[in-house]
Amino acid sequence: MAGNTLCHSICHKVIEKFAEEIDSTVSSSPIVISSNIQKYFGPENTLYLKGNLVLIDFSILEIAIFASELRSNLIIDKYRLHYMDSNRRMLFRYDNASHHPEIISYPHHKHTPNEVMPASMPLLQDVLNEISAIIIEKSSKKS
């Protein structure tokens, strides 16, 4: 029984560290003006993280991640990173829903308004960098 307690304590730290890294990425991003990320820690070292980020141009990034721990390793079971403009039109979405088996990176892929393409699961920081580039490009076109 003590072994289970020790594993629970160690394993849960992997999930907690992942949640802290998400919080740190969000709080240190210069393009995030508000965030409402909710974390639900479940049984057997699982985490359901969901919410959205409002960005400096009032676009929105919706985040949903279901993670678990296996042998002290983080496993991302399901994810969805859905980026929309201020009118809530999708600009892109990364996910691993199993609805595009034809994609070489199946089940991982990226949706854009006109296509679905191969992709791996990006880090949140990489998505925020991609969004920053979109915001910069959009603002330079206005100038």
Side-chain angles (χ1 to χ4, degrees), residues 14-72:
V14 171
I15 293 290
E16 285 179 358
K17 184 174 188 248
F18 174 69
E20 289 168 5
E21 288 171 357
I22 296 288
D23 286 342
S24 176
T25 298
V26 169
S27 66
S28 66
S29 174
I31 66 167
V32 175
I33 58 173
S34 74
S35 113
N36 110 7
I37 302 291
Q38 301 162 11
K39 296 178 252 358
Y40 303 95
F41 292 93
E44 300 183 24
N45 304 314
T46 59
L47 168 67
Y48 179 51
L49 186 139
K50 71 172 192 167
N52 61 56
L53 308 178
V54 177
L55 308 171
I56 58 175
D57 64 345
F58 300 104
S59 59
I60 299 166
L61 177 63
E62 290 181 344
I63 300 171
I65 300 172
F66 184 78
S68 60
E69 180 280 335
L70 180 63
R71 297 185 198 98
S72 298

Side-chain angles (χ1 to χ4, degrees), residues 1-11 45:
M1 195 72 164
N4 287 343
T5 304
L6 178 61
C7 178
H8 177 73
S9 174
I10 291 169
C11 296
N45 304 314

